[in-house]
Amino acid sequence: MKFDMGQAWNSATELLGKNKDVILVVAGMFIFLPNLALSLLIPGLDQPQVNPEDTDAVFEAFREMYQEYWWALLISTLVQTVGTLSLLTLLTDNSRPTVAEAIKLGGKGLLPYVGTQILLGFGVAIVIGLPLGIAVASQIVPLVAIIGLVSVVAVIYILIKTLLITPVIAIERIYNPVAIFKRSWSLTKGNSFRLFAFFALLVIAVSVLFLIVNGILAVVLAAVGGQVQIIGTAVVSGIFNTIFAIVILAVLAGIHRQLAGPTAEDVSDTFS
């Protein structure tokens, strides 16, 4: 099936409209609060307090931050993963599960999701990391440039092919990491470029909106200063990240619905 951008967006907005109340509750618990906590706990999470033109200083600042706060980042990632899977369940399950039931299913999908990410990481390390490492070790500049460019394209391609990992877990209830990976790869077959174009446009649109809103609020909060500025910035960042996550999840659910076809429950609802 060929991917239709308009159909995917319409499906996403329809899913959000039907489930907005419970979606906001779960997103607040599992996405907004962890983001807010991280922003308040870790100074310079979004932008280290170093000269942005000094690449080495930026990398060093991030390295030190991750080394000190790895545990908080890990906990936040796991919590948000459960929340993501729970939200996809609430968005798509026609049996109308309760919030508690959706969270339970989200927790069940956590380990399969982690296993899939580990499998993906090993694959990327072998297919991309190994050739790139050899090229860098050779110190042949043209070779490094070519391999580097190919690596960037390969990473983007792999990201698109594994785009539906979370919907496959949450919606189809597949829990074998290899089967999850294969299913996402199969669903996106023949639609990689369309999916890339769709998400590129979506990210650009959201980024422009964020820059405008964040710029205005930054000026207002800077005028206040002090703790109000710190907390206000964290709240704004948390709200934006939460809204963005909800939109992306609804879009992923819409894409999955389109490429996987209607479920037995969808067909049953149509004729009921």
Side-chain angles (χ1 to χ4, degrees):
M1 178 181 291
K2 292 299 181 183
F3 172 64
D4 186 312
M5 296 184 189
Q7 183 181 338
W9 181 253
N10 290 336
S11 181
T13 55
E14 178 190 349
L15 290 170
L16 285 175
K18 289 180 179 178
N19 305 275
K20 57 181 179 297
D21 294 334
V22 289
I23 293 300
L24 288 174
V25 171
V26 176
M29 292 169 53
F30 287 91
I31 298 178
F32 173 72
L33 290 179
N35 271 286
L36 178 62
L38 282 180
S39 296
L40 295 176
L41 174 66
I42 306 176
L45 177 63
D46 298 320
Q47 182 62 54
Q49 301 303 308
V50 296
N51 181 5
E53 296 181 1
D54 189 342
T55 306
D56 291 337
V58 172
F59 278 122
E60 181 62 22
F62 275 114
R63 188 192 67 78
E64 292 178 357
M65 180 184 68
Y66 287 125
Q67 186 174 17
E68 183 174 358
Y69 295 103
W70 65 269
W71 56 272
L73 293 165
L74 176 60
I75 292 173
S76 177
T77 299
L78 294 177
V79 169
Q80 291 187 63
T81 298
V82 172
T84 294
L85 296 170
S86 303
L87 286 169
L88 280 169
T89 300
L90 290 169
L91 280 167
T92 60
D93 196 325
N94 292 327
S95 67
R96 294 290 185 266
T98 64
V99 170
E101 290 170 341
I103 293 173
K104 183 178 179 180
L105 288 169
K108 185 177 180 180
L110 177 61
L111 287 180
Y113 177 84
V114 172
T116 305
Q117 295 305 306
I118 292 173
L119 179 66
L120 180 60
F122 275 120
V124 170
I126 294 172
V127 175
I128 297 175
L130 187 59
L132 187 59
I134 294 173
V136 171
S138 72
Q139 297 185 342
I140 303 175
V141 177
L143 180 61
V144 173
I146 293 171
I147 297 297
L149 180 60
V150 171
S151 297
V152 171
V153 174
V155 166
I156 294 174
Y157 180 73
I158 291 172
L159 288 175
I160 294 299
K161 298 301 292 181
T162 57
L163 197 62
L164 298 180
I165 280 177
T166 45
V168 166
I169 296 172
I171 300 172
E172 300 188 26
R173 312 280 166 79
I174 296 175
Y175 298 123
N176 181 301
V178 175
I180 293 167
F181 187 84
K182 288 182 177 179
R183 178 60 172 161
S184 177
W185 202 277
S186 174
L187 286 172
T188 54
K189 185 178 181 181
N191 292 290
S192 300
F193 181 76
R194 290 182 180 86
L195 289 169
F196 170 74
F198 178 65
F199 273 92
L201 290 172
L202 181 60
V203 170
I204 290 172
V206 172
S207 298
V208 170
L209 179 61
F210 172 73
L211 289 174
I212 294 172
V213 174
N214 190 60
I216 295 172
L217 292 175
V219 172
V220 175
L221 292 172
V224 179
Q227 287 296 113
V228 174
Q229 180 183 5
I230 296 174
I231 297 174
T233 301
V235 169
V236 170
S237 176
I239 291 174
F240 175 80
N241 288 334
T242 302
I243 294 174
F244 182 68
I246 292 173
V247 171
I248 290 296
L249 289 175
V251 167
L252 287 176
I255 293 172
H256 178 273
R257 172 187 283 185
Q258 183 183 152
L259 298 182
T263 63
E265 289 180 345
D266 290 332
V267 175
S268 176
D269 286 348
T270 301
F271 290 98
S272 62

